Amino acid sequence: MNEITIIKPDDWHLHFRDQDMLLETVPATARCFERAVVMPNLVPPVTTAELALSYKERILAARPAGSTFTPLMTIYLTDKTSVEDIQDAKKAGVLAAKMYPAGATTNSDSGVNSLESLYPVFEALAENDMLLLIHGEVTQKHIDIFDREKEFIDQHMVNIVKRVPNLKVVFEHITTKDAADFVLNAREGVAATITPQHLLLNRNDMLDGGVRPHNYCLPILKRSTHQEALRAVVKSGSPKFFLGTDSAPHARHRKESDCGCAGCYSAWSALELYTQVFDELDALDKLEGFASLYGADFYGLPRNTEVVTLVREAWDVPESIALPSGEPIVPFFAGKSVSWKIKT
Ligand code: NCD
Ligand code: ZN
């Protein structure tokens, strides 16, 4: 197959950042995604309905002329989030709340320290038909960084899913066979997003032959057996797994640094790279479900009606992109060839 037409996809997890960065990130995503779930880890974080609504306006203002792209807003849970905050968010049209264990990743310092005390908030999310989006890694420093996702499942995820049985939970950007198996065997109402980097790469791609900071993201790339497990679940066509790029831009000097930031800026090539993966897996017939249908169904939103066509045609991801601030950023897969292209 040299051409594939699918319902226009949505990105169920990404980071747009704020201010003039939006002039780069919003058009890059709007070029092929109709909607995107926007992560709230700004500095300071988007913790309330009011902050989410003003952030949404800034995103809408950064859309290219004529674009119908729609941001889907989330709020950031802290130790102080109240049931009333959730009710206000619901009224403002916020779809979901994102939980970062404090210190787990970029801009998560205001995240949750005591998960146990958040159960009333989880109940309120379920009552208001909102989703809980989870960065599923423990933050205990003595736990090996490669084991933090599995530990989170055992210490927390099992309990959350069991104790709030009517809560819809998205296990974000899963990276392990453990997480894939957990979601496969979980009750209805539990799903996961998967990034292009975790399907394409494993930890050798970050560490073998030299440190590659542009492949450093959190949760960190795991060994190839985990990569293979993720590839197997998307190939299976299970509706519990859907597209979330986790596109997360950081200027080049923040990545190529003594203490580099976590995050891959994949918006420029994500859809094409997912297509490449499904093609490699001989599963192009499963791409549309993953990219365009299962996420909308899980969120309870209408499926898109427009279509996008991808063609088998090689092109190179740019080595560097200039941010509106003038600073360079290195996109994910920079300088590498991608074998599928969006037909314009
Ligand atoms: C994200 C970011 O930069 O905001 N980084 C990342 O490595 N994925 C945060 C996150 O999703 O963990
Ligand atoms: Zn993310």
Side-chain angles (χ1 to χ4, degrees):
M1 204 193 293
N2 290 320
E3 186 168 312
I4 179 169
T5 298
I6 58 172
I7 299 273
K8 199 167 176 193
D10 303 303
D11 185 346
W12 298 96
H13 179 129
L14 60 55
H15 303 263
F16 274 150
R17 313 303 187 207
D18 206 353
Q19 311 302 338
D20 61 354
M21 184 81 111
L22 294 174
L23 295 170
E24 161 58 34
T25 55
V26 176
T29 286
R31 84 193 164 90
C32 60
F33 293 107
E34 185 60 24
R35 297 171 286 197
V37 173
V38 182
M39 291 299 127
N41 62 334
L42 302 182
V43 189
V46 179
T47 50
T48 64
E50 201 185 336
L51 290 169
L53 287 179
S54 61
Y55 186 30
K56 183 176 185 180
E57 288 310 312
R58 298 196 294 282
I59 294 167
L60 290 173
R63 290 186 302 182
S67 169
T68 55
F69 172 77
T70 305
L72 304 173
M73 306 311 292
T74 63
I75 58 165
Y76 182 115
L77 298 183
T78 73
D79 292 328
K80 297 205 181 87
T81 305
S82 66
V83 167
E84 200 186 350
D85 290 329
I86 301 302
Q87 290 160 346
D88 290 346
K90 175 69 183 182
K91 282 186 213 129
V94 171
L95 290 185
K98 177 71 189 283
M99 188 184 70
Y100 295 97
T105 186
T106 307
N107 304 341
S108 64
D109 296 348
S110 314
V112 174
N113 289 290
S114 163
L115 214 148
E116 194 56 37
S117 59
L118 268 190
Y119 274 88
V121 166
F122 298 161
E123 301 279 358
L125 287 170
E127 275 158 32
N128 286 284
D129 206 15
M130 291 170 69
L131 294 88
L132 175 63
L133 316 181
I134 300 183
H135 183 111
E137 287 190 289
V138 296
T139 55
Q140 293 138 302
K141 294 295 172 200
H142 67 278
I143 308 269
D144 191 280
I145 188 168
F146 294 100
D147 297 334
R148 288 180 188 173
E149 186 171 278
K150 160 134 183 50
E151 276 292 322
F152 188 90
I153 298 169
D154 300 342
Q155 290 187 31
H156 304 295
M157 199 61 127
V158 169
N159 290 330
I160 295 169
V161 163
K162 196 189 285 172
R163 282 174 58 183
V164 195
N166 50 346
L167 177 62
K168 277 192 203 171
V169 175
V170 183
F171 197 158
E172 297 289 346
H173 42 53
I174 60 165
T175 64
T176 56
K177 179 173 191 314
D178 310 273
D181 287 345
F182 171 80
V183 170
L184 273 174
N185 297 315
R187 63 160 169 81
E188 208 183 310
V190 178
T193 52
I194 306 185
T195 75
Q197 63 267 26
H198 292 103
L199 291 169
L200 278 162
L201 309 178
N202 60 64
R203 63 194 192 183
N204 276 2
D205 298 294
M206 179 178 59
L207 296 171
D208 184 33
V211 177
R212 293 169 203 279
H214 300 289
N215 289 343
Y216 172 62
C217 66
L218 290 170
I220 200 158
L221 293 171
K222 305 298 192 294
R223 62 165 64 240
S224 64
T225 46
H226 294 293
Q227 179 196 2
E228 289 309 322
L230 300 181
R231 289 169 74 97
V233 287
V234 301
K235 183 181 164 86
S236 80
S238 164
K240 293 180 155 205
F241 302 88
F242 46 84
L243 186 157
T245 62
D246 197 22
S247 184
H250 294 279
R252 187 173 75 192
H253 74 275
R254 305 286 302 273
K255 296 282 295 172
E256 296 176 9
S257 149
D258 177 45
C259 185
C261 291
C264 301
Y265 181 44
S266 62
W268 277 57
S269 60
L271 182 59
E272 295 86 340
L273 288 172
Y274 282 118
T275 308
Q276 184 170 316
V277 168
F278 279 78
D279 186 18
E280 284 165 11
L281 294 171
D282 200 16
L284 280 173
D285 60 320
K286 302 290 187 344
L287 176 68
E288 183 178 53
F290 177 81
S292 315
L293 308 180
Y294 304 152
D297 295 351
F298 189 80
Y299 270 74
L301 294 172
R303 293 176 171 185
N304 294 325
T305 50
E306 278 160 55
V307 294
V308 34
T309 298
L310 292 121
V311 289
R312 190 189 298 281
E313 187 184 320
W315 61 285
D316 290 345
V317 178
E319 294 278 2
S320 178
I321 296 164
L323 290 171
S325 64
E327 282 178 301
I329 181 168
V330 177
F332 181 61
F333 234 59
K336 293 208 180 72
S337 178
V338 182
S339 55
W340 287 82
K341 195 170 187 185
I342 293 174
K343 193 170 171 180
T344 43

